[in-house]
Amino acid sequence: MATDTISVMEKDKIFMSRAISLARKGLYGAHPNPMVGAVLVKGGRITGEGWHKEFGGPHAEVNAIRSAAGSAKGSALYVTLEPCSTTGRTGPCTGAIIAAGVRKVVIGAPDPNPVNAGKAAPILRAAGIEVEKSVLSREAAALNPAFNKFMRTGLPFVTLKAAQSLDGKTAGFKGRSRWISSPASRKEGHRLRAEADAVLAGINTVLADDPLLNVRGLGIKRQPAVVILDSALRIPRNARVLDNEKVIIAATRKAPRRRIRALRLSSNITVLILPPGKNGGVDLRALLGELGRLGIAHLLVEGGGRVAGSFILQGLFDRLMFFCAPLIIGGSGAGSSAVWRDAELPGGALGMGLRFKEIRRLGPDILVEAEPCSRGS
């Protein structure tokens, strides 16, 4: 009996692992919805597979049922996230599962969305479908850190990204920064943009580099929005970043009213007037709240050292991605990847604590992924 139970559990894990692998295929298209994968199994064989390919499109369960070509009846469905039970951009997946004649549903992680949380199992069981929960739950939940935080708090998951030399410099003393990182690192940087709902930079970056801040080389269907921190609305009207499909400029009341009106005439530009922070710039907490209300679940911050330093100092980031090149720039006037006044560190601390999550090679560079933590934890 024990041997049979272990065998069933192992099979469940194998099929859920496959569903998790499928879910990752939605990395660039599903957000701000979660990545979800689904597998239909009948007679010990996979008969259908699906994943959530793009926001607004069919969910993973529906795609798996369709791929089974009419053979879903009597199958077991393995899905990484609790099926939705309400009508949004698509119909409820619970209804599609019932209509397909699925006999059993195995769920990885619960849905943190309060609209759906805990509702699928009672609906499915009432229709005579067996439900099993929490198979590879931790691994399934780890697919969607941005979605999980957004549903829990209404705030975006914040990733800080920087390309720096080994001594933490992002530019030479004359401001020259191209190219610190390698082509492999720059390609990974575009992947990070493609994962996000919005990319943020400060006005100084716009004035110095005139960047596009869009995704190139990946063939994605939707570009992320672009957010510019520009408290006084100094952005030039011919800045290339304003050509993006969706641009959000965060300013304060010191911005000239005529500039606000002129920018708002463009259908692709939203100007937010926010309270000032302690340093006179835009209050970042207020900005994150507004971005959350606009449906931005994952924000990639690519600003300069002062922008990154402000997010770090205020504890407003969830993940740090630093590309470190085998280069030492040195010099007292060179730009740094995180900047704040020495007196601003709380409690006289030596620095802000981090926990390394992953360190890997990208061509000649090293990519360091870390998350915030208190020193010593």
Side-chain angles (χ1 to χ4, degrees):
M1 187 72 173
T3 303
D4 291 341
T5 303
I6 292 172
S7 176
V8 170
M9 289 174 60
E10 288 306 313
K11 286 179 181 178
D12 283 348
K13 289 180 180 179
I14 290 169
F15 293 130
M16 188 61 73
S17 292
R18 174 58 184 164
I20 289 171
S21 296
L22 289 168
R24 294 192 180 101
K25 293 186 176 186
L27 180 63
Y28 302 142
H31 61 85
N33 280 354
M35 291 186 289
V36 182
V39 171
L40 277 169
V41 177
K42 196 171 187 178
R45 259 187 339 106
I46 293 177
T47 58
E49 294 184 334
W51 65 94
H52 186 33
K53 296 179 181 180
E54 58 185 2
F55 179 66
H59 290 185
E61 300 93 322
V62 172
N63 285 330
I65 290 168
R66 288 176 180 174
S67 78
S71 64
K73 187 173 182 179
S75 298
L77 174 70
Y78 292 79
V79 60
T80 57
L81 187 71
E82 175 183 359
C84 68
S85 52
T86 56
T87 299
R89 288 176 177 264
T90 62
C93 288
T94 48
I97 292 167
I98 293 167
V102 171
R103 68 171 181 83
K104 178 181 178 180
V105 175
V106 182
I107 298 170
D111 191 341
N113 186 344
V115 171
N116 295 313
K119 296 178 181 178
I123 292 171
L124 295 172
R125 285 173 177 146
I129 298 173
E130 182 184 350
V131 178
E132 184 178 344
K133 298 180 182 180
S134 302
V135 174
L136 296 184
S137 180
R138 182 179 299 179
E139 293 86 346
L143 286 167
N144 297 296
F147 177 76
N148 295 341
K149 178 189 176 182
F150 184 62
M151 285 298 141
R152 189 177 67 251
T153 67
L155 299 173
F157 183 93
V158 177
T159 296
L160 297 184
K161 175 244 176 184
Q164 63 174 45
S165 63
L166 195 59
D167 57 336
K169 304 299 183 182
T170 57
F173 76 98
K174 290 185 177 180
R176 181 184 172 194
S177 61
R178 296 185 179 181
W179 292 102
I180 288 177
S181 59
S182 67
S185 290
R186 296 198 293 275
K187 187 174 182 179
E188 186 67 18
H190 281 281
R191 291 194 186 102
L192 288 177
R193 287 180 182 177
E195 292 176 28
D197 300 311
V199 178
L200 179 147
I203 183 59
N204 289 333
T205 295
V206 174
L207 294 175
D209 300 334
D210 194 20
L212 280 167
L213 298 177
N214 63 357
V215 179
R216 300 183 292 280
L218 293 179
I220 62 169
K221 293 185 178 180
R222 284 186 302 129
Q223 288 284 345
V226 173
V227 181
I228 304 299
L229 292 176
D230 187 8
S231 58
L233 278 188
R234 294 186 291 146
I235 191 166
R237 199 61 188 88
N238 63 349
R240 294 198 302 165
V241 74
L242 296 180
D243 294 331
N244 283 285
E245 185 177 330
K246 185 176 182 180
V247 181
I248 300 167
I249 304 176
T252 64
R253 295 202 177 276
K254 64 184 177 184
R257 291 184 181 180
R258 58 180 178 80
R259 293 281 289 141
I260 297 172
R261 288 195 297 268
L263 287 166
R264 283 177 172 169
L265 289 175
S266 299
S267 60
N268 66 321
I269 298 174
T270 299
V271 179
L272 300 177
I273 303 302
L274 299 168
K278 291 182 180 179
N279 61 1
V282 173
D283 184 298
L284 296 181
R285 292 182 188 275
L287 172 62
L288 292 178
E290 285 298 318
L291 294 180
R293 281 185 278 278
L294 291 172
I296 292 171
H298 186 181
L299 177 68
L300 176 67
V301 175
E302 291 195 20
R306 293 195 179 278
V307 171
S310 295
F311 275 91
I312 293 171
L313 197 64
Q314 296 179 54
L316 299 178
F317 75 103
D318 302 283
R319 180 175 67 158
L320 179 151
M321 304 289 277
F322 274 14
F323 297 84
C324 301
L327 173 72
I328 293 177
I329 293 177
S332 59
S336 296
S337 55
V339 178
W340 53 71
R341 293 193 305 271
D342 293 334
E344 289 182 294
L345 276 173
L350 177 62
M352 304 297 288
L354 297 171
R355 179 187 297 109
F356 291 136
K357 290 192 68 179
E358 185 181 4
I359 300 174
R360 57 187 168 100
R361 290 286 297 269
L362 281 171
D365 302 338
I366 294 172
L367 174 57
V368 177
E369 179 179 356
E371 60 186 8
C373 74
S374 58
R375 293 286 292 176
S377 65

